[in-house]
Amino acid sequence: MTQLTIDHRHGHSIGIGVGAVEILRYVYGEEMPQFEAPKPYLHPLRTLSGALVSAYRPWDHRWHKGLQMTWSHVSGQNFWGGNTYVHGEGYLPLENVGGMRHDAFDTIDHDGTELTLNEELTWVTQGGEEWVSERRRLRVHSVDATTGSYVIDVRSELTNIRGADLELGSPTTHGRENAGYTGWFWRGPRNLTGGAVLAADGAGAQAMGTESAWLAYTGQNDDIDGEVTILAVAGETSHGSLTWFVRNDPFPAVAPSPAFHQEIVLAPGETLILAHRFVIADGAWSKDAIESYLSRVAQ
């Protein structure tokens, strides 16, 4: 069994290492500008060989930080960061950028081969109102030197504590075509721009706005020779369906969006559950390799 090492910088972040490589760091206590919607994130993400597969504060979108939970349109508030899309006016800088506050870890469970974090968070508007209580689980497991891969499972339970309905939408539900980004969102480094996209039904970059069981993004590394694969498994949602947001130009990004085409309305006290899987791997995986892997890796 491959051994995982843990580096907990209390109050700031938790890193996971395999051998000499820190494969990921979950940052939950970093100070950042309000315009970037302060929230926890996973960065850096690296393959087992050490290839970097996440971006941090890229010049085009300073609020993009590796793999993180996001939501751009929440009853007029923006928990994603940056400007807010307003139909007919474009993206505008509004005083509506909230954040996701880390409150506590219920569990940090590490047995040497996997790590599970159970976290409590609160979504707070720019005006200081608490709107969402989130129970989040991150599980890192199935490190496999043979396939050069490991798994990150994410699960979010989002409960409306606003005291009124919450309308959870996206730029597309507000009028912008093919911009339905919501939920767990991965932003890749600049070198993966122009990478190949492959969905379970065989679609490429045209998988934008469609549904399928999984979607993979492959590309060439900088620094370290070879290619990488980021495999996202759509998983489940308690409301509606999951639709892929994916780009390989002008930057690499993937998100299994729960509100791409239609808003989700949460009544007071109602909970939205999302659960997805991200596989980080060395090499460019084919459709056959992906399906073989998914058939044998435990849920």
Side-chain angles (χ1 to χ4, degrees):
M1 278 290 197
T2 301
Q3 292 295 303
L4 301 179
T5 57
I6 305 300
D7 173 27
H8 190 178
R9 301 174 188 172
H10 291 273
H12 181 266
S13 61
I14 298 176
I16 300 179
V18 176
V21 176
E22 184 179 88
I23 58 172
L24 64 83
R25 182 161 290 275
Y26 183 59
V27 181
Y28 62 88
E30 179 179 293
E31 295 290 331
M32 63 185 74
Q34 190 65 40
F35 187 69
E36 297 177 19
K39 64 174 74 70
Y41 60 87
L42 288 152
H43 173 85
L45 292 171
R46 295 187 178 92
T47 67
L48 297 185
S49 73
L52 181 67
V53 295
S54 60
Y56 176 79
R57 298 191 75 243
W59 61 262
D60 48 31
H61 296 77
R62 294 297 188 197
W63 50 97
H64 286 187
K65 297 178 175 70
L67 175 62
Q68 58 183 340
M69 165 59 78
T70 69
W71 219 298
S72 64
H73 288 71
V74 182
S75 294
Q77 296 294 305
N78 175 354
F79 291 94
W80 187 191
N83 297 331
T84 299
Y85 180 77
V86 178
H87 191 54
E89 300 181 65
Y91 282 87
L92 302 178
L94 304 179
E95 296 294 320
N96 69 338
V97 182
M100 301 175 191
R101 184 185 71 213
H102 164 82
D103 292 330
F105 287 116
D106 290 343
T107 305
I108 302 177
D109 186 12
H110 173 229
D111 69 359
T113 62
E114 66 176 70
L115 172 73
T116 299
L117 303 176
N118 289 316
E119 184 182 16
E120 300 285 344
L121 305 98
T122 304
W123 295 23
V124 184
T125 68
Q126 189 164 348
E129 297 179 350
E130 298 183 350
W131 276 20
V132 176
S133 175
E134 179 181 355
R135 292 179 58 85
R136 180 178 299 183
R137 173 173 291 182
L138 300 176
R139 180 172 170 243
V140 182
H141 63 98
S142 300
V143 179
D144 186 343
T146 301
T147 59
S149 63
Y150 65 94
V151 174
I152 305 169
D153 287 334
V154 298
R155 178 182 173 89
S156 290
E157 299 178 9
L158 309 176
T159 300
N160 177 3
I161 59 173
R162 180 191 181 195
D165 284 354
L166 281 178
E167 299 170 349
L168 303 168
S170 67
T172 294
T173 67
H174 283 69
R176 185 186 175 205
E177 185 178 1
N178 281 339
Y181 46 85
T182 55
W184 282 92
F185 185 101
W186 167 79
R187 168 69 190 261
R190 197 76 58 183
N191 58 281
L192 294 184
T193 302
V197 176
L198 177 64
D201 61 4
Q206 66 272 25
M208 172 74 88
T210 68
E211 299 175 25
S212 64
W214 56 261
L215 185 141
Y217 192 109
T218 63
Q220 291 278 356
N221 296 327
D222 280 341
D223 187 26
I224 293 175
D225 292 345
E227 296 176 284
V228 294
T229 297
I230 295 85
L231 169 63
V233 181
E236 64 175 293
T237 175
S238 61
H239 291 62
S241 59
L242 294 167
T243 302
W244 291 111
F245 176 87
V246 57
R247 284 182 177 157
N248 61 0
D249 182 72
F251 54 78
V254 173
S257 173
F260 194 110
H261 298 294
Q262 288 188 309
E263 285 192 339
I264 296 168
V265 178
L266 284 187
E270 189 176 1
T271 298
L272 166 65
I273 299 173
L274 303 170
H276 318 296
R277 169 164 291 183
F278 294 87
V279 182
I280 311 299
D282 284 304
W285 286 13
S286 66
K287 187 172 187 289
D288 287 346
I290 290 168
E291 291 178 343
S292 174
Y293 176 87
L294 292 176
S295 71
R296 66 179 186 272
V297 174
Q299 295 298 312

